[in-house]
Amino acid sequence: MKYDVDEQGFYGDFGGAFIPEMLHPNIQELKSSYRKILNDDAFKKELSSLLKDYVGRPTPLYFAKRLSEHYGANIYLKREDLCHTGAHKINNTLGQVLLAQRLNKSRIIAETGAGQHGVATATACALKGLECIVYMGAKDIERQAPNVSRMKMLGAEVRPVHSGSKTLKDATNEAIRDWINNQDDTHYIIGSVVGPDPYPDLVTQLQAIISEEIKNQMDGLPTHVVACVGGGSNAIGAFYHFLEDETVDLIGVEAGGLGVKTDKSAATLALGSRGVLHASMSYLMQTSDGQVIEPHSISAGLDYPGIGPLHAHLHDCKRVLYSNVTDQEALDAANRLMQLEGIIPALESSHALAYLEKMTFNSTDKIVINLSGRGDKDMSTYINAAT
Ligand SMILES: *Cc1c(COP(=O)(O)O)cnc(C)c1O
């Protein structure tokens, strides 16, 4: 495929594996085997059976009648919110746990910021009886107490990280240190299309099921596919099988926070410049001397200062349009969906919904919005916003 990763692990100028020497054996082992394993018949059979009976796939492609009438176009929702655990993240963690078993790894590590990836990892590990250790910044542990409880109930060990800013990037450093020291029995599950090659492609292949299903569920091609972008895994999942259908407009919506003109935003492609973050070349929010800028978004899942390298490439070659909406626009879009369709969306997904306000439509347009997750985890934010 025209937009696939090359032999060196790059998408155009972006990607690669900017890693410490000590990590080369781990990355090399994964790189030399993951494509073969993903394409193995027995692997595919086990994964698709679990995706069907455990995750609940295929997720519906729902024609949102009242939302469509409101906007004067045909709007479809890809219901990733109906996946087990409430979001698309399980597509990736389940696939990587099965991959780890094929690589004879009995121990899984992950890092998590908001806790959603940690919960999805702990879930897949419980299902397969693998040891699960989740690194999490001490500050995030305080902020995300319900997800910490969920991970523990599912049998995972949550290891607090007290170094640095006590958030995601410090947890990532600890996870990498662990992986270097435990290469023989440990697989590291990264939660989005970020990190060193081959992770961006590995996660892309596991999330591409979203667009594969949309294609099967739809009569002909959509005119637009819209998805929110944190690291970019639900978006690339929704876009992947449409990348070569150049008539389909693909739109990634980043978190604008309080607005891209303020210093409280997470809109990486609007505000970022080229650089290396989490071991891959992409765009990131950084100061002129290369310090990473603390991002802000009302939605914890989009609160990330970088973006996956394939998105950086798709942005530069203009195959995908990247836009952004503010916290308030996302909240308004969430309320609209609640009242017009009876669906409480995740705050992340509400960013994709909010983009509808910025579009102009033909009545024949067929727009697919990827509803990446459900809003249970965001109740306190919704309640506070309403009062
Ligand atoms: C984590 C998360 C996101 C953001 O991650 P991507 O890798 O950009 O998809 C979006 N939506 C939901 C519901 C999430 O949990």
Side-chain angles (χ1 to χ4, degrees):
M1 209 266 281
K2 176 173 160 192
Y3 296 100
D4 270 342
V5 74
D6 70 20
E7 274 298 310
Q8 280 68 48
F10 279 84
Y11 304 94
D13 293 344
F14 304 102
F18 298 82
I19 52 172
E21 195 73 62
M22 308 256 290
L23 211 55
H24 277 179
N26 311 47
I27 290 291
Q28 211 42 55
E29 183 188 20
L30 192 60
K31 191 173 157 78
S32 64
S33 54
Y34 81 101
R35 276 274 186 166
K36 224 177 358 208
I37 295 172
L38 294 191
N39 288 316
D40 171 67
D41 284 338
F43 178 91
K44 287 202 283 200
K45 201 166 158 219
E46 185 178 6
L47 181 58
S48 63
S49 156
L50 284 172
L51 287 174
K52 176 169 172 283
D53 295 329
Y54 186 72
V55 176
R57 305 204 71 90
T59 58
L61 182 71
Y62 164 68
F63 176 66
K65 185 158 177 285
R66 296 190 70 215
L67 195 66
S68 295
E69 281 164 8
H70 178 83
Y71 283 109
N74 303 292
I75 299 169
Y76 298 81
L77 304 177
K78 181 58 173 164
R79 299 291 307 274
E80 294 301 294
D81 61 315
L82 296 178
C83 287
H84 177 46
T85 69
H88 67 291
K89 285 192 170 76
I90 189 87
N91 303 328
N92 170 44
T93 58
L94 192 57
Q96 286 204 49
V97 160
L98 297 190
L99 174 70
Q101 287 191 309
R102 298 304 196 276
L103 293 169
N104 292 318
K105 313 284 182 184
S106 57
R107 185 174 174 270
I108 298 292
I109 57 171
E111 91 285 334
T112 194
Q116 296 297 108
H117 173 56
V119 171
T121 302
T123 301
C125 287
L127 178 71
K128 283 289 158 183
L130 300 189
E131 183 182 356
C132 178
I133 290 143
V134 181
Y135 289 93
M136 193 166 182
K139 201 157 141 192
D140 289 333
I141 287 182
E142 263 172 52
R143 292 191 287 200
Q144 310 291 345
N147 278 339
V148 175
S149 302
R150 280 187 193 102
M151 285 181 260
K152 290 182 176 165
M153 282 182 220
L154 293 162
E157 179 191 340
V158 180
R159 284 202 188 153
V161 177
H162 296 282
S163 56
S165 58
K166 305 186 194 347
T167 59
L168 182 62
K169 74 172 163 25
D170 314 289
T172 304
N173 291 340
E174 280 311 309
I176 288 172
R177 195 163 304 152
D178 180 316
W179 203 25
I180 288 172
N181 290 324
N182 297 287
Q183 196 210 334
D184 288 345
D185 66 347
T186 300
H187 175 66
Y188 177 25
I189 301 189
I190 291 183
S192 189
V193 285
V194 300
D197 175 59
Y199 281 101
D201 184 54
L202 168 58
V203 180
T204 296
Q205 298 307 320
L206 291 172
Q207 292 291 2
I209 182 86
I210 300 173
S211 48
E212 189 184 320
E213 288 176 3
I214 297 172
K215 262 198 160 162
N216 289 332
Q217 289 166 321
M218 215 157 184
D219 233 359
L221 289 172
T223 52
H224 305 75
V225 181
V226 185
C228 67
V229 180
S233 69
N234 88 88
I236 211 64
F239 297 165
Y240 188 78
H241 289 281
F242 297 110
L243 285 173
E244 291 184 313
D245 297 315
E246 307 270 343
T247 60
V248 181
D249 286 343
L250 304 175
I251 299 135
V253 186
E254 296 190 304
L258 299 186
V260 292
K261 295 204 168 70
T262 70
D263 60 0
K264 295 247 175 286
S265 178
T268 305
L269 287 174
L271 298 170
S273 52
R274 289 177 185 219
V276 172
L277 181 69
H278 294 163
S280 94
M281 175 61 71
S282 187
Y283 283 92
L284 66 139
M285 290 169 39
Q286 56 187 333
T287 62
S288 53
D289 52 1
Q291 296 291 323
V292 176
I293 294 172
E294 223 21 73
H296 163 84
S297 168
I298 192 168
S299 128
L302 302 183
D303 201 349
Y304 180 68
I307 186 165
L310 174 51
H311 287 289
H313 179 57
L314 293 169
H315 169 262
D316 276 20
C317 62
K318 299 193 161 59
R319 175 64 191 96
V320 178
L321 172 74
Y322 294 87
S323 182
N324 55 79
V325 303
T326 63
D327 291 350
Q328 189 59 51
E329 288 169 324
L331 284 170
D332 294 343
N335 283 317
R336 218 173 288 122
L337 192 73
M338 292 172 199
Q339 288 167 24
L340 288 176
E341 296 289 347
I343 297 170
I344 301 178
L347 265 166
E348 292 84 359
S349 321
S350 304
H351 287 72
L353 292 162
Y355 188 75
L356 288 166
E357 292 286 308
K358 309 203 178 237
M359 296 175 77
T360 49
F361 304 101
N362 288 319
S363 59
T364 51
D365 281 352
K366 291 199 247 177
I367 299 138
V368 176
I369 309 272
N370 196 39
L371 204 67
S372 55
R374 66 176 87 122
D376 309 32
K377 67 186 179 57
D378 299 313
M379 285 313 294
S380 66
T381 311
Y382 288 141
I383 291 164
N384 288 338
T387 52

